[in-house]
């Protein structure tokens, strides 16, 4: 049974930091890439960051480069998203998802299993 479970979201002030976790199970972690996505009310789901689990190669969207860092712990089958210098426009539900082909892409349609999301709210 494939499972992806996000955690670590919450309420944070602008300029603050959060670390999200994506705990996975039910598949061979190293065969996949994991992407982080986010969706705000009334907006399309957008890709944030991507990591290939076998070698740690990463990619991030321009909107978060320099502020967010994706990483993984293969022993724990877990992917992290360290979010710094948070802005109100980062407010969204954040999802992690898996990609079998490990293509360098953040297109949501290329991901087959998704977590239920964790809410990040950046507000004063």
């Amino acid at each position: 049974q494939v499972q992806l479970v996000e955690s670590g979201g919450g309420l944070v002030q602008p300029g603050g930091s959060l670390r999200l976790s994506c705990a996975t199970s039910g598949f061979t972690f190293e065969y996949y890439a994991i992407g982080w996505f986010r969706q705000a009310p009334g907006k399309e789901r957008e890709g944030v960051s991507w990591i290939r689990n076998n070698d740690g190669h990463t990619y991030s969207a321009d909107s978060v480069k320099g502020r967010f860092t994706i990483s993984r712990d293969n022993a724990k089958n877990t992917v992290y998203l360290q979010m710094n210098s948070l802005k109100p426009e980062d407010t969204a539900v954040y999802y992690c998802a898996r990609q079998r082909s490990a293509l360098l892409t953040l297109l949501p349609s290329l991901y087959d299993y998704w977590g239920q999301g964790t809410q990040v709210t950046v507000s004063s």
Side-chain angles (χ1 to χ4, degrees):
Q1 184 178 10
V2 174
Q3 294 186 10
L4 295 88
V5 180
E6 303 93 339
S7 63
L11 175 64
V12 64
Q13 293 184 340
S17 298
L18 286 172
R19 190 177 78 156
L20 306 183
S21 297
C22 174
T24 74
S25 60
F27 62 95
T28 302
F29 188 72
E30 293 83 358
Y31 290 175
Y32 291 85
I34 299 292
W36 282 100
F37 300 80
R38 64 187 182 186
Q39 188 166 27
K43 299 188 69 175
E44 292 186 344
R45 189 166 298 186
E46 63 174 337
V48 177
S49 292
W50 172 100
I51 188 165
R52 188 165 58 208
N53 293 336
N54 61 1
D55 64 1
H57 183 65
T58 64
Y59 170 80
S60 292
D62 289 343
S63 61
V64 305
K65 285 181 179 177
R67 299 189 298 122
F68 293 7
T69 302
I70 191 169
S71 62
R72 94 295 193 195
D73 185 339
N74 286 3
K76 297 183 180 294
N77 296 332
T78 298
V79 173
Y80 304 95
L81 185 67
Q82 179 67 45
M83 304 186 296
N84 298 325
S85 301
L86 283 162
K87 304 175 181 179
E89 52 263 43
D90 295 319
T91 295
V93 177
Y94 283 71
Y95 301 88
C96 61
R98 76 167 195 177
Q99 183 200 56
R100 176 64 181 89
S101 60
L103 297 173
L104 203 165
T105 180
L106 288 168
L107 291 173
S109 62
L110 273 293
Y111 292 76
D112 58 359
Y113 282 89
W114 296 74
Q116 293 187 357
T118 186
Q119 177 72 48
V120 173
T121 302
V122 184
S123 176
S124 299

